[in-house]
Amino acid sequence: SSSMRRSALWTAALSAGAQAWMVTPRAPVRATAAASRGPACVMVDAFVLDRLREMRGVHDDLTAQLEDPSVQANVEAMLRVTRERAKLDGVVEALSAYEGCEQRLTEAKELFNEDDVELREMARAEIKEAEQEMEALDARMKVLLLPSDPNDERNVMFEIRAGTGGDEAAIWASDLLNLYERYAREQGWQTRLVSKSDSEAGGMRDATMEIKGQSVYSKLKFEAGVHRVQRVPATETQGRIHTSTATVAIMPEVDEVSVQINPGDIEMHAARSGGAGGQNVNKVETAIDLTHKPTGIRLFVTQERSQLKNKELAMQMLRAKLYAMQLEEQHAKVASARKMQVGTGARSEKIRTYNYKDSRCTDHRLGSNFALDGVMSGGIEPIIQQCIALDEQERLKELGVDG
Amino acid sequence: GLFRRGGEPLPEAVRGPFEEMCLQRLRRTPVQYIVGDWDFHELTLRLSPPVLIPRPETEELVELVLASSRKPAKAAAAAGRDFRILDVGCGSGAIGLALLRQLPNAECVGLDVSTEAIALSRLNARELGLSSRYEAVLEPLGIAALARWPPPEPTAAAAGVARRFDVLVSNAPYIPSADMLSLPQEVRRFEDERALCGGQDGLDVIRDVLRAAPLLLRPGGTRGIWLEVDVSHPPLLRDWLQEPGARGLGVGMVRWIPDLSGRPRFCELQWDGEGGGDGSRVC
């Protein structure tokens, strides 16, 4: 049936992988007046409304599926349908709010044609209110059109590496780590440091932190890239300003199903195992040295209290890195002109400059400045919100919907 | 916590106990005994002297046993049969409990000479919610008591464990006596010598484990034997099993496997289901 076909199409589109999220640009659609719907001034693109109504149709189909006894009997199917349906709840809500406004507007306009002055005043106020609400809904509904990034809900492996610049770069990297730790805590996320290489003069060469919580990736994905600092280093004796960098990589955490690793591609051995081993020694610290031969990725994990846990952690980190590499490849293919690129940190573009003399932090994609003090104490939420907004704008433009 | 906030001074309440722990460590007490517990495989185990602290290699032994036991254990469950594991020299209960955690329908008996070990493995089983499937049995004469049949004095253990097990696993003491003197202090001064020393070539207890195997294993089971050994042992064991005296046991070396440090550490052996009849295990 056509509703089933539509269902399948949209369910497929909605649950497609990262590629669907990076929609290829289409020719812009002109906003058309929807004469059949009454209101003379149309603030919402007919294209947007049509699409959203289709999505509501899918929601209805999924609701019907939940009533189906054969679906009810299958726990997996029930969970899947419930989940897919829940993703569309926002659409249904927004559409019904919009249609409610439309209705009020139509009624108010009819009232406006009455002779009674008082009624006309009421109608005028009602029209104004309804139009304002519809404008707000317009923005919301456009965003609802965007396919969501399937990685948005994932936890991440957050990695910082000090760039060139010796001790100062190492100190900068550790300042950045503190910044993000505070931000994560403020967001109510759990952080766990899984590896860290300290630098002799203070600071660190690199560190990896696992961050778990709600929608972590969706917020941190724009943090990947090079963060540059301009300041007088603590080690500087003559008060000169130095520039150093640190690179942030954001890798969504994936399970064993998402990234297949061939056991033959891995070489793993226990590092720091000089001497007899076995019963002869009491080992408090175990270290796993893991090499993934095809990519050359090498990991050294010593964080956990047991060798097995270090092994599991190493595999988790490897999966995250391999997935991040896959994502990079996919992103590179969809050569998009967007300013807001979700990198995994592989590219070398500077995304932010932190200038201590002028006490400001500049995001180069947004082209805006933020007060440095707030930023360094973990207050980066406003920057992230702006990044999310710019990203939405750009993706809407590609879809052919003006923001 | 300390790792993350390394720069901050210690809160008052914790300072005293922490300094006491540092003093203990200065006396070379193993960290695991100071802290009182440590991670092993997917568990956290309580640990106390002199019971042997599980080594990282032994986690790999557990993984090997698991890999070969998952299917048979499932098949047994499907057929309504038990799947029984014997852990000889159970110590803290590490091996048996780690296996039980991963094999939901298996049962395990842990055997040990040490009363402290029996108490500790029972405690761990209870705290891990595995007591219904784990039994710790004290055998003061050690596995030697079961290496000869009929045993010199009938023991309670002997009656209980005959012909009952699908898999035999053991991290028996395997250090040659000459190496005992050069052990680090943490090991030498705090851990039970009976859990470490295997006699002149380190194989005394292991040989007894293999002599006892035909008595302990079910002829209809997997008849698998898994050992953790000293790096010198695998070829010595293979050769010994082929000598006239030991051949009658019907136990053969299937393969040996290196640990993550690349050292030959684990032996997989198998009993043929027939050898070791009365009398022939005297060797």
Side-chain angles (χ1 to χ4, degrees):
Chain A
S1 80
S2 81
S3 78
M4 286 208 15
R5 212 179 339 117
R6 175 182 62 196
S7 220
L9 209 73
W10 269 97
T11 315
L14 292 167
S15 38
Q19 257 166 342
W21 173 71
M22 290 170 279
V23 172
T24 50
R26 62 206 288 292
V29 170
R30 308 247 162 273
T32 57
S36 60
R37 269 183 235 110
C41 76
V42 176
M43 276 172 283
V44 177
D45 196 334
F47 167 70
V48 173
L49 280 171
D50 284 341
R51 291 290 151 275
L52 289 177
R53 287 192 170 120
E54 275 184 45
M55 286 161 87
R56 181 168 57 189
V58 175
H59 187 271
D60 292 340
D61 290 342
L62 291 172
T63 308
Q65 276 187 47
L66 286 178
E67 305 291 321
D68 182 344
S70 68
V71 172
Q72 284 176 344
N74 181 342
V75 175
E76 254 185 63
M78 275 299 277
L79 281 175
R80 192 186 15 98
V81 174
T82 309
R83 221 178 9 232
E84 291 301 324
R85 181 171 167 273
K87 284 186 195 168
L88 296 168
D89 282 346
V91 172
V92 171
E93 203 192 298
L95 256 184
S96 91
Y98 178 79
E99 284 164 352
C101 279
E102 259 188 337
Q103 181 70 11
R104 276 163 51 203
L105 195 58
T106 314
E107 286 167 4
K109 291 204 164 149
E110 268 166 39
L111 255 178
F112 198 68
N113 293 332
E114 296 289 318
D115 290 325
D116 191 308
V117 172
E118 242 180 67
L119 279 177
R120 273 223 295 278
E121 278 314 302
M122 270 176 56
R124 194 197 307 270
E126 192 52 42
I127 291 174
K128 199 157 170 214
E129 233 183 80
E131 284 179 349
Q132 277 175 347
E133 265 190 59
M134 282 168 81
E135 224 182 284
L137 281 169
D138 171 45
R140 219 171 97 198
M141 292 197 298
K142 281 177 182 161
V143 170
L144 285 168
L145 270 189
L146 295 169
S148 55
D149 183 345
N151 293 313
D152 270 351
E153 296 306 308
R154 294 201 142 122
N155 300 324
V156 307
M157 284 286 187
F158 180 97
E159 190 187 79
I160 300 189
R161 298 188 166 276
T164 48
D167 295 337
E168 164 64 355
I171 295 173
W172 172 235
S174 119
D175 290 342
L176 262 189
L177 182 66
N178 282 335
L179 189 168
Y180 283 100
E181 265 186 320
R182 287 167 85 160
Y183 175 67
R185 235 176 294 150
E186 185 192 288
Q187 293 292 306
W189 296 335
Q190 280 176 328
T191 61
R192 176 168 83 124
L193 202 57
V194 298
S195 92
K196 191 160 174 257
S197 312
D198 284 323
S199 165
E200 275 148 25
M204 54 181 229
R205 293 247 50 90
D206 57 69
T208 304
M209 180 166 66
E210 183 186 37
I211 306 181
K212 281 180 138 125
Q214 251 215 6
S215 313
V216 176
Y217 183 73
S218 71
K219 294 191 121 173
L220 290 181
K221 62 185 176 185
F222 303 110
E223 304 306 290
V226 176
H227 296 240
R228 177 175 62 171
V229 67
Q230 292 163 331
R231 66 182 180 187
V232 180
T235 51
E236 168 64 29
T237 47
Q238 294 184 334
R240 287 171 300 186
I241 295 184
H242 288 233
T243 301
S244 330
T245 61
T247 304
V248 168
I250 305 286
M251 297 168 282
E253 261 195 346
V254 284
D255 55 30
E256 291 157 20
V257 180
S258 311
V259 179
Q260 298 279 10
I261 300 178
N262 182 349
D265 289 341
I266 295 187
E267 252 171 41
M268 181 158 45
H269 63 267
R272 302 216 193 109
S273 59
Q279 287 174 358
N280 300 54
V281 187
N282 175 33
K283 265 234 148 73
V284 175
E285 197 179 58
T286 55
I288 290 290
D289 187 332
L290 172 75
T291 307
H292 183 246
K293 291 185 283 195
T295 58
I297 295 176
R298 182 128 183 234
L299 292 165
F300 188 79
V301 181
T302 182
Q303 167 72 5
E304 298 295 318
R305 290 209 308 184
S306 82
Q307 183 178 263
L308 184 81
K309 287 199 152 47
N310 280 327
K311 263 170 65 176
E312 287 170 356
L313 188 52
M315 290 302 291
Q316 219 182 333
M317 287 167 74
L318 178 64
R319 272 196 296 274
K321 280 187 191 274
L322 290 175
Y323 188 68
M325 283 171 66
Q326 284 176 26
L327 281 185
E328 260 319 307
E329 271 181 52
Q330 288 171 351
H331 285 131
K333 275 193 218 140
V334 184
S336 122
R338 291 186 217 148
K339 290 191 212 119
M340 215 64 227
Q341 307 256 18
V342 175
T344 48
R347 272 174 253 132
S348 53
E349 288 111 31
K350 292 181 218 359
I351 60 160
R352 244 168 248 164
T353 297
Y354 303 69
N355 186 308
Y356 274 62
K357 181 163 77 83
D358 301 333
S359 208
R360 71 179 139 80
C361 169
T362 310
D363 185 296
H364 299 293
R365 303 154 300 178
L366 297 172
S368 21
N369 295 329
F370 301 84
L372 187 65
D373 287 335
V375 167
M376 290 316 294
S377 50
I380 53 174
E381 181 69 5
I383 312 185
I384 288 180
Q385 286 304 326
Q386 280 195 32
C387 289
I388 292 177
L390 179 58
D391 174 62
E392 276 173 2
Q393 248 181 58
E394 293 189 310
R395 287 192 289 137
L396 279 172
K397 214 186 253 154
E398 280 178 4
L399 254 187
V401 178
D402 279 307
Chain B
L2 275 181
F3 190 29
R4 283 248 317 276
R5 312 213 293 272
E8 296 169 18
L10 218 53
E12 200 57 57
V14 206
R15 207 171 296 171
F18 180 67
E19 283 175 5
E20 173 55 39
M21 287 182 179
C22 289
L23 282 174
Q24 281 187 288
R25 188 67 196 106
L26 283 172
R27 292 184 222 120
R28 309 293 294 270
T29 313
V31 172
Q32 298 92 335
Y33 287 156
I34 298 175
V35 172
D37 59 56
W38 209 254
D39 291 352
F40 177 78
H41 207 255
E42 303 285 355
L43 318 168
T44 302
L45 293 169
R46 299 270 215 120
L47 297 169
S48 58
V51 181
L52 189 83
I53 295 164
R55 305 329 201 206
E57 288 85 350
T58 314
E59 285 181 336
E60 300 174 50
L61 178 65
V62 170
E63 287 287 286
L64 287 169
V65 178
L66 275 176
S68 81
S69 299
R70 281 193 211 277
K71 273 211 193 111
K74 261 206 185 118
R81 280 192 328 257
D82 303 318
F83 188 82
R84 282 211 182 87
I85 303 166
L86 179 66
D87 179 1
V88 180
C90 62
S92 56
I95 297 175
L97 293 170
L99 289 170
L100 288 186
R101 175 53 66 85
Q102 306 298 322
L103 299 169
N105 64 300
E107 290 168 12
C108 180
V109 170
L111 217 58
D112 207 285
V113 295
S114 148
T115 48
E116 294 96 339
I118 296 303
L120 187 58
S121 52
R122 278 190 192 142
L123 173 64
N124 280 319
R126 198 163 53 239
E127 293 201 335
L128 293 166
L130 294 169
S131 332
S132 59
R133 296 190 282 136
Y134 190 87
E135 190 190 344
V137 174
L138 179 70
E139 177 45 82
L141 299 175
I143 197 66
L146 302 167
R148 280 160 183 66
W149 190 261
E153 300 150 29
T155 61
V161 299
R163 294 278 153 110
R164 282 176 61 202
F165 298 96
D166 295 90
V167 178
L168 202 167
V169 58
S170 182
N171 178 24
Y174 56 66
I175 303 179
S177 22
D179 295 349
M180 291 296 292
L181 298 168
S182 53
L183 294 177
Q185 289 199 43
E186 283 80 4
V187 178
R188 194 162 31 91
R189 286 175 45 210
F190 293 89
E191 294 185 289
D192 196 336
E193 197 190 325
R194 296 175 296 171
L196 296 163
C197 186
Q200 194 179 28
D201 61 359
L203 281 167
D204 285 354
V205 181
I206 289 174
R207 276 186 289 255
D208 277 342
V209 171
L210 296 180
R211 287 178 188 123
L215 170 67
L216 300 163
L217 291 166
R218 284 192 329 122
T222 68
R223 291 181 267 108
I225 306 165
W226 292 89
L227 304 175
E228 181 182 320
V229 301
D230 180 81
V231 304
S232 63
H233 288 169
L236 297 177
L237 264 185
R238 178 199 54 201
D239 294 343
W240 175 72
L241 286 168
Q242 288 167 357
E243 278 171 24
R247 245 205 316 261
L249 291 171
V251 174
M253 175 82 74
V254 175
R255 56 176 176 144
W256 61 79
I257 303 117
D259 61 25
L260 277 177
S261 303
R263 304 188 183 102
R265 183 62 70 189
F266 310 108
C267 293
E268 181 185 4
L269 307 103
Q270 196 164 43
W271 175 52
D272 64 11
E274 290 165 6
D278 291 357
S280 73
R281 269 178 290 118
V282 182
C283 57

